[in-house]
Amino acid sequence: MTTARQAAADILARSHARAGFASELIDDELHRISLSGQDRRFVTQLVFGVLRRRGTLDALLTPFIRTPLHAVQDRVWDVLHLGAFQLAFLTHVPKHAAVHETVELATHVGSPQAKGFVNGVLRRVSELVTDVFTDRPGGDGVPFDWEPRKPNLPSLHRKEGGEGSEPNPPTPFPKKEGGAGERSKPNPPAPFPKKEGGDRSGVRNPSPLGGGVGAGSSILPRYRKLTRAVLPDFATDPAGYLSAAFSWPKWLAARWLDRYGLGECTRLGFWFNSPPPLWIRTNKLHDDRENYRLRLAAGLIETATGEHPQSLRLIEHHSIRDLPGYDEGDFAVQDHSSLLVSSAVAPQPGMRVLDLCAAPGGKTTHLAELMDNRGFVTACDIDQKRLDIVTSLCQRLRIKGVETVLLNENDDPPAGPFDAALVDVPCSNTGVLGRRPEVRWRLKPTEFEHLIRLQTKLLFQAIERVKPKGVIVYSTCSIEPDENENVVNAVRRGIKNLTLEAEHHSIPGQPADGGYWARLRKPG
């Protein structure tokens, strides 16, 4: 019988082989084996925790490894990471159990001879990690968790378990010196109806951490103390500190440090290492949001409404397939920032819309919903397996009028002409590092040049296939200007009178994933 820790080790091995995103691999494994609900949650916690925290785990482990690091087998590294993660970040797992059960994993991964080695290293890590917590960063404290600072409250309840706790959204990016402090174009057309008394200006406050700590911070960080320093000093090597403390490649830490500063990078670090909130989109073809929210409440499932009129955030994580109306297609899983993109297209019944990079279908089906199932969406992708997911989602949601088209890598998209186009381009995924934690280890700085060329090509292709005066929405789940406004501006320089009607930067944690969209109007 497979245990939770064995399943986690097997999923990590498949992740290293790039067999898919962690969420997909976890779903596949949990469908294959039989585990209790508690153990299934533990598998998810272990896999995402190790992938998010790998850099920090390396910093905890390497002082106690006397053999050359390259001589340690990959699967033994996975075992060490699993053990160190439990010791440092899971307060509900006793240290002796974390060490003993993880040592036994060496046999499961085919290296029984490594049990003594694993035991020795993990016992040293167990001695390194204390049960003392502080709100002050340093080389002798690993970032553990955080919670928003609430005014006029002397203390805050904190869930036990560290990584298993779900955070509330933190505050947004700081205003850069000399900039307007806006992440949205002034007064853009609202992609969905503005609530009475609401504000869509996107104005943000200064840096939430004021350098990372202090009474003026809008979050309460918690660091777990170590018996000695193993992280770089943030005062003398801030990029090295961010890389080790928040588990980013050093090149990415340096890139963001130059752009955002230490305080905002610290906030991003806590956000991206926390379990992301679970958002769903209510199916407007079946019911409105309030009615569905009441159905969930009747089942003791608490939710919060988002700014988008179809969005709901689950306060606690639940099995998606067990939610009311799953089989009937009453909702789809879709992050709040992703919801904004299809709404920016503002499709109307009867329109023909091109969705150039459609899989896995969240935005495709939303486009059809917004047209009341009375429009036509041509959904293109280069992966048949992922296009099959689009088809399955359309069937579950009772969506009509969607045609999937498989393109080879160098194929031209369907000629059209279309009334509108959505081009949700392949990107670096830097806005979703919490949801796709493996990306931080796969992405290389040299990949941006290729990505930008591809993004530019796809945007040109979408514009060419839209009727004169038609709408094109360009979107990413990146927070890199090179992939966002820089691509849009480059294409605008190449097409006379191509109008930028609106653009929006979704800030990680405000209230969901990071990303970008721009709404363009083709000249007549």
Side-chain angles (χ1 to χ4, degrees):
M1 179 178 175
T2 303
T3 68
R5 290 178 176 86
Q6 289 171 346
D10 293 342
I11 294 168
L12 288 172
R14 292 186 63 201
S15 177
H16 302 329
R18 298 199 174 200
F21 287 118
S23 57
E24 299 166 346
L25 300 179
I26 291 170
D27 284 345
D28 289 346
E29 183 72 7
L30 294 183
H31 276 96
R32 189 184 67 82
I33 62 177
S34 178
L35 290 175
S36 68
Q38 182 178 4
D39 279 345
R40 292 164 72 90
R41 290 188 292 273
F42 191 36
V43 170
T44 302
Q45 190 177 45
L46 289 174
V47 172
F48 275 104
V50 167
L51 290 174
R52 289 184 184 122
R53 303 278 193 167
R54 195 180 85 185
T56 308
L57 300 175
D58 285 343
L60 297 176
L61 290 162
T62 51
F64 308 118
I65 298 176
R66 303 307 178 196
T67 59
L69 299 182
H70 68 268
V72 180
Q73 296 177 345
D74 289 345
R75 297 213 68 185
V76 174
W77 269 116
D78 288 341
V79 171
L80 290 171
H81 287 148
L82 284 165
F85 175 73
Q86 294 169 73
L87 291 169
F89 296 107
L90 297 185
T91 56
H92 66 278
V93 178
K95 287 186 176 182
H96 64 87
V99 173
H100 174 75
E101 297 296 333
T102 306
V103 167
E104 295 304 313
L105 280 181
T107 300
H108 176 74
V109 302
S111 298
Q113 73 282 1
K115 291 174 72 173
F117 166 71
V118 171
N119 182 66
V121 172
L122 292 184
R123 286 191 179 279
R124 296 297 301 276
V125 173
S126 177
E127 295 165 357
L128 175 70
V129 176
T130 77
D131 292 325
V132 177
F133 293 87
T134 179
D135 62 356
R136 296 284 169 175
D140 61 347
V142 291
F144 189 77
D145 62 8
W146 64 274
E147 59 190 13
R149 184 183 297 276
K150 297 179 182 178
N152 303 321
L153 288 179
S155 63
L156 294 170
H157 173 70
R158 188 190 304 273
K159 293 181 186 178
E160 288 301 318
E163 289 282 324
S165 303
E166 182 184 338
N168 293 322
T171 53
F173 286 118
K175 181 162 68 175
K176 293 236 358 166
E177 190 67 30
E182 296 286 338
R183 305 297 291 185
S184 299
K185 196 176 181 67
N187 302 317
F192 47 85
K194 181 176 177 180
K195 292 183 181 179
E196 193 66 31
D199 181 9
R200 315 194 70 79
S201 66
V203 176
R204 284 169 311 286
N205 299 320
S207 176
L209 292 178
V213 294
S217 168
S218 64
I219 73 168
L220 296 172
R222 192 162 65 143
Y223 300 84
R224 191 166 193 174
K225 293 286 287 183
L226 309 174
T227 57
R228 66 182 179 90
V230 298
L231 305 179
D233 179 55
F234 68 85
T236 59
D237 184 10
Y241 170 78
L242 291 169
S243 176
F246 294 110
S247 201
W248 299 334
K250 191 167 184 178
W251 68 266
L252 185 60
R255 181 185 182 99
W256 284 355
L257 182 64
D258 180 63
R259 186 186 306 157
Y260 302 127
L262 183 59
E264 179 59 11
C265 284
T266 300
R267 187 194 70 83
L268 286 175
F270 276 106
W271 173 258
F272 283 138
N273 284 340
S274 302
L278 178 59
W279 291 87
I280 61 175
R281 179 189 88 226
T282 55
N283 188 342
K284 68 186 290 288
L285 302 175
H286 296 188
D287 208 344
D288 63 29
R289 178 177 67 180
E290 183 59 18
N291 284 338
Y292 186 69
R293 188 188 68 80
L294 292 174
R295 287 173 61 192
L296 292 178
L300 302 181
I301 299 172
E302 187 180 358
T303 59
T305 57
E307 205 172 5
H308 192 286
Q310 291 178 259
S311 63
L312 284 173
R313 177 171 63 86
L314 275 65
I315 303 302
E316 301 288 345
H317 277 250
H318 294 268
S319 171
I320 294 300
R321 290 178 174 84
D322 293 337
L323 293 178
Y326 174 83
D327 290 332
E328 293 77 17
D330 291 342
F331 70 91
V333 177
Q334 189 172 13
D335 189 79
H336 188 276
S337 61
S338 175
L339 260 174
L340 303 180
V341 175
S342 297
S343 293
V345 179
Q348 301 300 312
M351 290 179 72
R352 297 183 66 230
V353 181
L354 173 65
D355 190 352
L356 192 50
C357 307
K363 298 179 181 70
T364 305
T365 53
H366 194 202
L367 288 168
E369 284 180 26
L370 293 172
M371 292 188 286
D372 297 328
N373 247 357
R374 292 185 287 131
F376 305 91
V377 181
T378 300
C380 304
D381 210 273
I382 61 172
D383 187 327
Q384 183 60 58
K385 182 179 178 181
R386 287 170 61 79
L387 276 179
D388 291 342
I389 297 173
V390 178
T391 300
S392 297
L393 184 60
C394 287
Q395 292 170 348
R396 185 174 72 80
L397 298 179
R398 315 307 197 253
I399 294 296
K400 301 175 183 178
V402 173
E403 176 192 18
T404 60
V405 177
L406 177 65
L407 300 175
N408 293 320
E409 195 164 340
N410 295 316
D411 284 351
D412 287 332
F418 296 92
D419 298 296
L422 169 60
V423 52
D424 185 43
V425 294
C427 68
S428 64
N429 291 283
T430 52
V432 292
L433 293 189
R435 200 172 299 279
R436 297 177 178 174
E438 59 280 284
V439 166
R440 66 185 81 189
W441 309 117
R442 296 178 183 178
L443 182 66
K444 307 298 179 188
T446 53
E447 292 181 40
F448 284 101
E449 182 178 352
H450 164 72
L451 284 169
I452 292 165
R453 283 201 303 267
L454 176 61
Q455 292 156 355
T456 303
K457 172 186 172 183
L458 291 170
L459 181 52
F460 269 116
Q461 288 180 332
I463 294 169
E464 290 169 355
R465 283 153 179 80
V466 169
K467 297 176 182 177
K469 298 186 179 180
V471 165
I472 307 95
V473 170
Y474 172 87
S475 69
T476 77
C477 54
S478 168
I479 57 173
E480 306 305 311
D482 291 347
E483 299 181 89
N484 295 337
E485 59 264 40
N486 291 3
V487 168
V488 170
N489 291 336
V491 171
R492 289 183 64 209
R493 287 193 293 269
I495 300 179
K496 187 177 181 180
N497 296 327
L498 179 66
T499 304
L500 174 63
E501 292 190 337
E503 63 180 348
H504 176 77
H505 293 258
S506 291
I507 311 304
Q510 286 293 302
D513 289 341
Y516 170 83
W517 61 259
R519 176 185 167 102
L520 301 163
R521 180 77 62 176
K522 186 173 180 176

